[in-house]
Amino acid sequence: MRVAFLHYHAKRGGVTRVVEQQMEALRDVAQSLFITGNGTNPETRVKPLIVPGAGYDGMRPEIPPEEIAEEILRAIESRWPSGCDILHVHNPLLRKNRDFLKILKILQKKGVTLFLQIHDTAEDLRPESYYFHEEYPENCHYGVINSRDFQLFLQAGLQPIGLHSLPNCVEPLPQVSSEKGGKNRDLVLYAVRAIRRKNVGETILLSCFLSSPYRIGITLPPTSPGDYPSYENWKSFVLKHNFPVEFELGMKYQLETLVDRSCFMITTSIREGFGFAFLEPWTVEKALFGRKIPYLAEDFERRGVDLSDLYEQLRIPLDVLPLADVRGQWETVVRETYGRYKLALEDEELENAWNTLIEGECIDFPYLHPFIAQGMIHRCKEDSSVKKLLLELNPYLENLASPDPDPEKIEKNRETVLRMYSKEKYRDQLLSIYQQVLTVPVKQKIHKKRLLRSFLNPKAFYLGGM
């Protein structure tokens, strides 16, 4: 079997890493090729072929989509003169290249068999990446990486025979040898690139509940210009008020060194496609604490991973907040985002959503605008009565003051993750899907408006991650 992979870029990061894992999983059972548009990285484990026209807008030549499709075909034929069996395309529904869907449809008409794997959708609060005037490819197989997306794409018109679940493979994090391992484990590690949806403000709030000498370490800065203002704002806030949080540790130390220094690891992310952060810590015998993303946790728990120490809400009492400002800022963002999608939002729907958010006279922390959130975090640090109140409402925060990881749970989760998300299982899933793609023709299309409506919910608008 000959499988060509296509993605906008081969830069260091999540999707590139997934492509590498897929190619490695297939190494002994299929031939593979990676075609990419913008940029490579010296750390990339496979050498891609570059077709610049397939890259991001602003970083690619302005040539017709027909020419780009021909260049992709030539790249494939340079390896296999008779072409590939499957073109496995990653994240095609994000409008990073305004001609990308046209390119795929041209390739489809030329007889290329497509398998389109969705990691992220523009419908999931990414209006800047939404295709307003282009329909998604029809009559080809699709794949998704979590059960929520599987259900939403089914509801949007795809059929069970043409939609496939393909959870990612999980590789153990790098680890120092036991002989070199350190004993001074004073770090609580957030191994993440600190983009907005990683909810850095909540990470800083958690630091208020640590006991000395523990500090939170965040590994990497964002790379997208859109994420930098928020990131720099949080860095300045930490510096000004002397919170026990360090940034960009991954720029100074190897990840394995940071993992070894850590007592446990955390996540406060509010939106993920797959959620490596919920699985990887266990592979290096580290406990995990932080925010649970329910639709992902359900997938992992169904496979036997114990995430019972994670929380679904960090409740902030309404009477310590400027509630009118909180509501006004939240409503503004919700209405503006719906407007950017060119969708109407009924006043009653917004009112009902708001009332749900403030049930029990509390609101979940990420709904706060960052400026209000900073005031809340500062009060928690300086006012013991506020800190006590948050502990009463969120008793799990006491675990941060005296962490006591459960070795039995860690070992059980380690074994489960390595078994359920192994490269061997991943290879078998890929081959099974490819066999269906090659042998089961499908006639299906995605109803875009239905898909957008199913993703877009006022209660999904966490201002701390936008």
Side-chain angles (χ1 to χ4, degrees), residues 34 57 92 121 133 144 176 191 207 231 237 239 264 272 287 302 324 371 376 380 386 394 399 414:
F34 185 16
D57 286 338
T121 68
H133 307 295
V144 293
V176 299
S207 77
Y231 177 71
F237 176 70
L239 183 63
F264 60 98
E272 294 291 333
R302 196 159 42 243
F371 292 127
M376 183 68 239
C380 183
V386 172
N394 308 281
N399 295 335
R414 187 187 71 84

Side-chain angles (χ1 to χ4, degrees), residues 165-425:
S165 177
L166 183 59
N168 290 330
C169 169
V170 178
E171 298 175 291
L173 289 175
Q175 201 170 10
V176 299
S177 66
S178 57
E179 297 81 21
K180 296 180 180 179
K183 297 180 180 179
N184 192 23
R185 294 193 168 94
D186 57 355
L187 190 66
V188 177
L189 187 63
Y190 194 9
V192 70
R193 192 170 291 284
I195 58 179
R196 284 169 292 177
R197 63 182 167 88
K198 302 301 181 180
N199 194 15
V200 171
E202 188 166 313
T203 305
I204 298 166
L205 178 58
L206 293 185
S207 77
C208 296
F209 297 91
L210 292 173
S211 58
S212 181
Y214 295 108
R215 300 178 65 80
I216 290 178
I218 299 173
T219 50
L220 294 170
T223 55
S224 169
D227 286 302
Y228 251 96
S230 173
Y231 177 71
E232 293 296 335
N233 179 46
W234 284 117
K235 280 180 64 179
S236 298
F237 176 70
V238 164
L239 183 63
K240 179 179 179 181
H241 298 291
N242 195 31
F243 286 91
V245 178
E246 298 179 65
F247 291 88
E248 300 175 21
L249 287 182
M251 311 289 280
K252 306 171 189 174
Y253 305 100
Q254 294 292 324
L255 180 58
E256 54 263 42
T257 301
L258 297 174
V259 167
D260 183 64
R261 270 186 56 196
S262 65
C263 175
F264 60 98
M265 298 175 72
I266 62 169
T267 175
T268 56
S269 179
I270 53 174
R271 204 166 61 249
E272 294 291 333
F274 175 69
F276 283 106
F278 295 98
L279 302 177
E280 288 178 331
W282 311 105
T283 68
V284 285
E285 301 177 346
K286 298 295 179 181
L288 178 68
F289 182 80
R291 177 171 289 272
K292 178 184 289 188
I293 299 178
Y295 67 85
L296 295 179
E298 289 171 7
D299 288 351
F300 303 145
E301 290 171 336
R302 196 159 42 243
R303 291 173 172 84
V305 182
D306 185 348
L307 299 176
S308 56
D309 288 337
L310 304 187
Y311 58 85
E312 291 189 24
Q313 284 189 317
L314 207 168
R315 302 173 74 215
I316 307 297
L318 301 183
D319 57 9
V320 300
L321 296 169
L323 192 58
D325 291 340
V326 173
R327 178 170 183 170
Q329 290 163 340
W330 177 80
E331 286 191 358
T332 296
V333 171
V334 174
R335 288 191 183 279
E336 286 179 349
T337 306
Y338 269 71
R340 292 179 66 188
Y341 281 113
K342 302 177 183 177
L343 285 180
L345 177 64
E346 298 295 332
D347 291 344
E348 183 179 1
E349 184 180 0
L350 192 62
E351 178 75 18
N352 290 339
W354 172 253
N355 289 335
T356 301
L357 300 189
I358 60 171
E359 286 178 351
E361 297 300 309
C362 291
I363 191 168
D364 197 6
F365 178 80
Y367 287 114
L368 306 182
H369 186 281
F371 292 127
I372 293 177
Q374 288 183 359
M376 183 68 239
I377 298 168
H378 187 246
R379 287 187 65 187
C380 183
K381 182 176 186 288
E382 300 297 328
D383 188 336
S384 60
S385 65
V386 172
K387 182 176 179 180
K388 181 180 178 183
L389 183 57
L390 293 189
L391 278 169
E392 291 172 354
L393 290 168
N394 308 281
Y396 50 79
L397 292 174
E398 294 180 358
N399 295 335
L400 290 165
S402 53
D404 186 23
D406 179 351
E408 188 174 329
K409 176 188 286 190
I410 290 172
E411 179 58 23
K412 179 175 178 293
N413 277 350
R414 187 187 71 84
E415 292 177 354
T416 300
V417 170
L418 293 178
R419 182 179 72 256
M420 298 303 295
Y421 298 92
S422 69
K423 190 173 293 183
E424 292 74 23
K425 187 177 285 288

Side-chain angles (χ1 to χ4, degrees), residues 13-22 45 171 173 276 280:
V15 175
T16 299
R17 177 183 177 196
V18 170
V19 173
E20 292 171 344
Q21 289 177 334
Q22 290 174 341
R45 297 189 299 221
E171 298 175 291
L173 289 175
F276 283 106
E280 288 178 331

Side-chain angles (χ1 to χ4, degrees), residues 79 148 346:
R79 178 70 59 86
R148 178 204 63 171
E346 298 295 332

